Amino acid sequence: MRVLVLAAISFTTFKWVLIPIRTEGSSMLPTYTPDRMHFVNRLAYGAGGPVRGDVVAIKMAGPRVLYVKRIVGLPGESVAIAGGLVQINGVPLSEPYVRHRGPWDVDEVTLGPREYFVIGDNRGMSVGEHDFGRVEMGRILGKVVF
Amino acid sequence: MARFAAIVLTAVAIGAGAWYVLTPADSGAPVRARLRALSDMVNRSTVDGRGAEGRSAQLSAFLSEDVDVDLGHGAAPIRGRHTVIGMAERLQPRIAAFRLQFEDMSVVMGPSGDTADVHLTAEFIRRSITTGEESLDAREFMIGMRRVGAEWQIAKVTAVDTLK
């Protein structure tokens, strides 16, 4: 009976609460290296939305394939990238997690009321090879916790 | 404690049984199967040694005559089966280096039952010839399918920008 209860709790936890993921690609280096297991907390944003600096999992067509990106811009803010530096409402953002920066330039965008600006930590990549941009809250599956 | 656990497990079992019985049959299953057959064909063609002609004939069967492919990012739409096949033939050496996998397929059937809209994530898994390491690229698509005779064919492919 204990085994059954444990199995039921494990199934519920890892299916609906703490989702295991395996990272691929280099866009979150050096924070997240490829081929490592991490967990996404689906309940992290039940009471409030993500905050700047959170690493989140973003759904594509569903929950099996996800982007893992960092939140840099919050709803209503203006975000631009100039010379590799992210600027929020015209003020450069301090990002201690970024080790290498390419000379990226991205025009300013203003986020909608439910939009966040997400980007990977590896800014040493070519800007064309790095997926980043605005994402709706509804696509954010949860917070990558460890 | 044991009685409580037994009650919970019984309730879960009854719920699962009710869900299984009451959930309507999946009318999108043939559409999913058709797309899986397409990815199987693409992946098989990387190892089966068939010539470009044989592969084109296989691929043709999955596409409608007037198929419309919009990959976004400013790329011009690709229209017509012959154009798509021609491009696939030219890209064959590159296509042969990756595997294609469809994930998170959700199917919405049209009212007539002869059309369907599919939302999916396509994974492109490339293996380096030199190191053997695999790298993964993924992209979200909306695919319009149409039943022609007994077979489902792709009529429209639109790339979706997950991040805008």
Side-chain angles (χ1 to χ4, degrees), chain A residues 87-99:
Chain A
Q87 304 200 342
I88 306 296
N89 298 331
V91 179
L93 178 68
S94 168
E95 295 186 283
Y97 39 79
V98 175
R99 294 279 188 275

Side-chain angles (χ1 to χ4, degrees), chain B residues 39-85:
Chain B
S39 64
D40 287 347
M41 189 276 288
V42 169
N43 297 338
R44 211 170 38 241
S45 75
T46 64
V47 292
D48 68 1
R50 277 175 185 259
E53 232 170 74
R55 254 186 297 278
S56 299
Q58 285 181 316
L59 184 58
S60 301
F62 288 91
L63 305 173
S64 72
E65 188 67 46
D66 59 348
V67 63
D68 190 344
V69 180
D70 183 357
L71 298 177
H73 294 295
I78 307 159
R79 295 214 166 89
R81 181 194 285 157
H82 291 297
T83 314
V84 175
I85 298 288

Side-chain angles (χ1 to χ4, degrees), chain A residues 1 4-5 8 24 58-65 67 69 118 131-135 139, chain B residues 1-2 5-6 9 103-104 119-121 123 134-136 138-140 160-164:
Chain A
M1 182 56 74
L4 283 176
V5 172
E24 293 273 358
I58 299 159
K59 286 187 281 186
M60 299 184 88
R64 284 183 60 84
V65 185
Y67 274 122
K69 300 284 174 191
V118 295
D131 291 331
F132 62 94
R134 292 174 289 136
V135 65
R139 280 189 179 269
Chain B
M1 177 65 189
L9 284 175
E103 297 284 359
D104 290 324
H119 186 199
L120 57 78
T121 304
E123 285 187 322
E134 287 192 339
S135 64
L136 185 147
R139 193 120 193 246
E140 195 178 335
V160 176
D161 287 330
T162 310
L163 306 178
K164 298 182 173 80

